[in-house]
Amino acid sequence: PFWRQAGLSGSAFSEAGPLSQIWDNSDDSLSVHALAGFAFGDAAVALAENVGSEGRGGAVLKAAREQLVRLFGSEASDVKRVEYMSWFAEDWTHVESETRERVPFGQPELSQPHCTAILFAGTETEPEHGHMEGAVRSGTRAAREAIDLLKGR
């Protein structure tokens, strides 16, 4: 596929577009090449609502295509087929609720210093992003807090 010819893996983690995680989902044995991606949080809700109201040519899907072009080059605009799966519509992966409020990651208590000098960092302490991005951000936060504590001694 074009991304490999360009020396790219086909994998990306991004906060600049509706897709947060993108990967090479090719089957070389069948000569079938594809990029796949996940949208989380508000972007996933927007995709689900957009596809339902505007079909596969909606604004959010257009934004996903534009994101792929930014990440993998102009050849990513030559889309042959789009397969869309809304996990919101699956009985076994989504529970209907009264609200569509975003469930935060982590536990707020863990992002606060304990006993003045015990600091926690990790995905479970970062309320906005979770996953690897949350782990990195929480590590940065904890390092900043540790420096502040050491300067204050």
Side-chain angles (χ1 to χ4, degrees), residues 13-19 63 66-67 70-71:
F13 292 90
S14 175
E15 289 191 20
L19 301 175
E66 290 168 356
Q67 178 185 17
R70 283 192 310 275
L71 292 168

Side-chain angles (χ1 to χ4, degrees), residues 79-97:
V79 176
K80 304 285 188 247
R81 189 167 112 194
V82 174
E83 290 294 326
Y84 173 79
M85 173 64 179
S86 174
W87 294 104
F88 293 121
E90 293 297 309
D91 292 337
W92 299 105
T93 60
H94 179 71
V95 177
E96 273 303 315
S97 65

Side-chain angles (χ1 to χ4, degrees), residues 113 116 119 140-153:
T116 309
L119 305 171
T140 301
R141 174 200 41 83
R144 203 171 27 253
E145 290 172 357
I147 291 168
D148 291 345
L149 280 171
L150 291 170
K151 283 182 178 179
R153 287 189 179 174

Side-chain angles (χ1 to χ4, degrees), residues 18-38:
L19 301 175
S20 299
Q21 296 178 4
I22 301 160
W23 65 95
D24 183 337
N25 200 40
S26 300
D27 185 339
D28 293 332
S29 69
L30 298 175
S31 295
V32 175
H33 305 287
L35 293 170
F38 278 132

